[in-house]
Amino acid sequence: MSANGIDWFDERTWSVSGNKEEALGRIKSSSNQAAAAAAAASVLFPKSTLEISQYLSNDDHRDCPIAVVCGGHSSSNVATWPIFQNDNDGNEHQHGRTMIIDMKHMSSINVNRETLEVTVGGGVLFRQLAEACSKAKCALPIGTGPTVGVCGYLLNGGISGYFGRRLGMLGQRVTKMEIVLANGEIKTLVSPKALGSNDASGCDDGDNDLFRACLGAGSAMGVVTSLTIKMEEESIYRTGGSIVFACSSKSIAKTFLRKALSFMKERVLLSSTLPASTSMEIVTTSDYTVICTLMFYDSFDGDPETFVAPLRGAAKECNIPIVADGVSSHKTWFDAASSLWGVIDGMKGNPLVRMDHCIGTEHIPSDEALEFLLDRWFGSFLEKAPLTIIEIRTLGGAASSNDQGNHCLLPTSNVKCTFFADMIVSYDASTVSAEDKSSILAEVHDIIAEAKKRSDIMVDFSGTHGQSDDPATLLPDGEEVFGGKENYDFISANKKKYDPHNRFCYHPFLTLI
C-alpha cells in the first residue's frame, strides 16, 4: 500500500475495529508497499452528482465495485477498508478493483427557513448540520458525533438517544433525496406523504419503494448525493444537562446504576404522554464515573431540578459524590447537540481501536434484562480498555408511535426499540499489550454470543451500532436488523432490483443483502 493510501485511511478513519487492528499493523509495516500500491483501490473525490453518474455509467468501469465514504466514523471501516484490498488477497469483488467515492467535496447546506427544511450534500458531517440548524433557530434528532456523516448515519438506521423520543428518527424527516444508481441513472425521490402520514402503504411501488428502502439500507442501494430534511422550531427543546457521579469501583457503580435504571424505567420510559416530555441517557466510563443526561422538551410542565431529585437522593444513599450538577445547563438545542463534541474530539489513539455492539428491548426492559446488562455489559475489559464507555438510552416515543402524523415508520428495527444500550470498547492501540488486545476481543465476542441466546433482548439490530466484521456466528440476521421478515424481504428485493450486480457491496449490511 502506498504512503498516500495509508495517509488517506488514517485521515478519513476515526477509529479502527478490534477485528482489523492487527491486520492494519501488518499492512503499515509491510516492506512491499510499492507492489501493494499497484493493486490498491482508488479514491475518487467528486464535486457533483453528474460526475458520479458519468463515472458509474462509463464502460471502462461499469462493473467495478463501489464503496462510498461520507464520514469515516464507524469502527468497522466497511467503506474505507477497501483501500487495502487488491485482486490477490481473496477479498476483492469478482469484477475487479474497487473504487472508493469520498464525498467530502459535496458538503453544501441550504436552509429554507420558510418551509423549515434543510438540504445537505452527501458529504455533510453532523457538526456542519448542527451549526446550520442552530443558525436557523431549528432542531433535529441528530447523533452526538461531530465527524459522523449525515448520509451514512441516516441511510443505515441511525438513532438519536438525546432527541429521538420527541423528534423521532432523522430518516423519518426526509422529504426528498437525490441518488445515483449502479448504472449511473440519477433519480430524485420525493416522500409520497412528505411527512404527512405514517402509512407505509404510501411507499409501495416504483420510486416510492426505493425511497423507503433507502431509509433502512440506503448505502447498499446507490450513492445518495443530497437529502432534504424537515426541521422543527428550536422552541421544541426546553432545557437539559448532566449530573456526574464519581463512583469509586465497579461494585459501587453497579449499585448506583440499579437505582438510576429504575429511575429511567419508572420516570422516563413508563411515561405514557405523547409527545414525550423527557429523554435520558446514562454513560459509564472505564473509571466508573456515571453521567446521567436528561433532555426536557416543550411538553414537559414540571421543574427539571425537582424531576431529578431521586437521582441525587440515590447518590446520597450510596455515599457517592456528585462532581458536576448541571441538569439545566443546556439552554438551547444546539447546547445539547454539541455537548459531547469536545469529548469525542479528544478520543485519539495510534490508532484508536473500537468495537461497537448494542442490545435493546422492544418494550419496557424486564428486571432480568437489566440484570444481564449490569452483569455482562460491564465486563473486565473496562480495566484493559481505558477509553471504553457504556451508553444506556431511552428510545421509543415519536420514533415508534403509530399516531404521530408527521412520522413514517422505517424498515429498521430501531423504530421498534424502546430501550438501548451501546457497549463502545475503546483503547489506544499503542498503549495496550498484544495479550490484553486478544483478551478484550475474546471477552467482547463471548458477551455478544451470550446475549444472542436471550429471547428478551435484540442484539446488534442497528446498521450504525453494529460490528459488521465480527465472526459470522455473532452477526444478526436480516429480520433482526430490518424489523421483521416483511421488511427484510422488501429491502432484499429493492437491492436486487436497483443493484443486481452488487456494485455497492461495502455497507453495514454486507452479510445480509
Side-chain angles (χ1 to χ4, degrees):
M1 170 50 55
S2 69
N4 286 340
I6 290 176
D7 288 347
W8 174 85
F9 181 85
D10 286 346
E11 178 182 354
R12 205 59 165 113
T13 303
W14 184 69
S15 59
V16 179
S17 167
N19 298 314
K20 291 187 172 118
E21 189 261 329
E22 184 178 352
L24 179 62
R26 289 196 303 269
I27 291 169
K28 289 189 173 184
S29 62
S30 171
S31 60
N32 195 20
Q33 290 188 6
S42 301
V43 183
L44 181 72
F45 297 90
K47 295 182 179 179
S48 70
T49 300
L50 181 60
E51 186 178 344
I52 296 172
S53 172
Q54 291 172 338
Y55 176 84
L56 293 181
S57 59
N58 188 302
D59 288 340
D60 291 340
H61 18 73
R62 182 182 293 275
D63 294 327
C64 77
I66 303 295
V68 183
V69 178
C70 60
H73 189 91
S74 173
S75 64
S76 60
N77 317 128
V78 180
T80 55
W81 193 258
I83 192 71
F84 298 122
Q85 296 181 358
N86 58 61
D87 292 329
N88 302 313
D89 66 0
N91 295 317
E92 188 51 79
H93 195 280
Q94 60 180 338
H95 296 303
R97 196 166 68 178
T98 297
M99 170 58 70
I100 297 175
I101 297 180
D102 188 321
M103 302 290 285
K104 73 175 185 178
H105 293 315
M106 297 184 67
S107 57
S108 63
I109 302 180
N110 295 295
V111 174
N112 186 329
R113 189 65 181 78
E114 184 176 341
T115 63
L116 288 183
E117 289 181 318
V118 57
T119 300
V120 299
V124 169
L125 307 180
F126 270 134
R127 184 189 298 270
Q128 298 164 302
L129 176 59
E131 289 171 346
C133 198
S134 174
K135 186 176 181 180
K137 297 188 181 303
C138 291
L140 279 174
I142 69 172
T144 53
T147 62
V148 173
V150 174
C151 274
Y153 169 97
L154 186 153
L155 297 173
N156 297 318
I159 55 179
S160 175
Y162 276 6
F163 308 113
R165 277 175 57 78
R166 181 65 175 90
L167 299 176
M169 294 175 65
L170 192 60
Q172 291 166 321
R173 295 186 162 272
V174 177
T175 60
K176 184 169 68 173
M177 72 174 72
E178 186 175 63
I179 185 171
V180 184
L181 300 178
N183 62 3
E185 180 183 1
I186 300 172
K187 280 185 172 289
T188 298
L189 308 174
V190 179
S191 168
K193 298 291 186 177
L195 297 182
S197 171
N198 67 350
D199 184 3
S201 65
C203 313
D204 58 5
D205 63 354
D207 288 354
N208 293 347
D209 273 359
L210 179 58
F211 180 89
R212 183 166 176 257
C214 282
L215 299 180
S219 62
M221 302 295 167
V223 185
V224 174
T225 56
S226 75
L227 292 164
T228 299
I229 306 167
K230 187 76 172 181
M231 301 181 292
E232 292 282 353
E233 296 283 2
E234 68 174 1
S235 58
I236 200 170
Y237 179 81
R238 177 175 165 184
T239 190
S242 301
I243 308 177
V244 182
F245 306 89
C247 303
S248 57
S249 69
K250 182 183 293 187
S251 62
I252 293 176
K254 285 186 176 182
T255 298
F256 175 72
L257 283 168
R258 282 189 180 89
K259 297 177 182 294
L261 287 170
S262 177
F263 174 90
M264 174 185 278
K265 182 176 177 178
E266 299 295 329
R267 299 296 302 274
V268 182
L269 285 175
L270 286 174
S271 172
S272 60
T273 60
L274 284 175
S277 60
T278 59
S279 61
M280 182 178 180
E281 177 181 86
I282 303 172
V283 171
T284 305
T285 63
S286 60
D287 65 353
Y288 307 115
T289 299
V290 177
I291 306 162
C292 294
T293 301
L294 287 103
M295 301 294 162
F296 301 92
Y297 301 97
D298 54 354
S299 52
F300 180 79
D301 59 4
D303 172 37
E305 301 296 332
T306 302
F307 185 84
V308 301
L311 288 174
R312 299 190 184 103
K316 186 175 181 180
E317 289 177 17
C318 299
N319 198 28
I320 297 170
I322 297 175
V323 295
D325 195 342
V327 77
S328 300
S329 62
H330 302 331
K331 303 303 181 185
T332 67
W333 169 85
F334 183 76
D335 289 344
S338 61
S339 61
L340 292 181
W341 288 2
V343 175
I344 294 172
D345 286 342
M347 293 183 68
K348 301 181 184 301
N350 187 26
L352 175 65
V353 173
R354 276 184 34 168
M355 287 167 282
D356 295 5
H357 297 86
C358 69
I359 58 175
T361 63
E362 183 173 349
H363 304 292
I364 304 298
S366 65
D367 291 341
E368 291 77 14
L370 294 179
E371 280 303 312
F372 172 80
L373 170 67
L374 290 172
D375 181 48
R376 300 298 285 128
W377 226 237
F378 293 82
S380 62
F381 57 80
L382 285 167
E383 288 78 22
K384 301 171 186 175
L387 298 177
T388 294
I389 59 173
I390 308 296
E391 298 175 331
I392 306 171
R393 301 167 173 172
T394 55
L395 296 179
S400 57
S401 173
N402 285 326
D403 60 0
Q404 293 296 291
N406 63 333
H407 293 290
C408 178
L409 296 183
L410 308 182
T412 168
S413 282
N414 286 334
V415 299
K416 298 172 63 177
C417 191
T418 295
F419 175 80
F420 174 88
D422 204 359
M423 179 172 66
I424 305 176
V425 179
S426 307
Y427 57 84
D428 180 348
S430 65
T431 64
V432 176
S433 69
E435 181 181 7
D436 278 348
K437 290 176 185 177
S438 296
S439 173
I440 293 168
L441 193 63
E443 183 181 6
V444 168
H445 287 172
D446 285 346
I447 293 170
I448 301 307
E450 186 176 343
K452 283 184 69 67
K453 297 176 183 178
R454 299 184 64 93
S455 61
D456 56 347
I457 57 176
M458 298 184 287
V459 179
D460 276 1
F461 53 89
S462 161
T464 53
H465 288 80
Q467 196 73 33
S468 57
D469 58 4
D470 269 345
T473 55
L474 301 182
L475 295 177
D477 63 31
E479 294 183 24
E480 291 176 313
V481 170
F482 298 116
K485 185 179 187 306
E486 183 178 353
N487 282 346
Y488 182 33
D489 291 345
F490 172 80
I491 291 292
S492 298
N494 277 273
K495 173 65 172 175
K496 291 175 183 176
K497 179 178 179 179
Y498 293 103
D499 186 18
H501 301 295
N502 196 25
R503 295 190 73 182
F504 300 103
C505 53
Y506 300 103
H507 53 79
F509 318 109
L510 73 171
T511 64
L512 303 174
I513 55 175

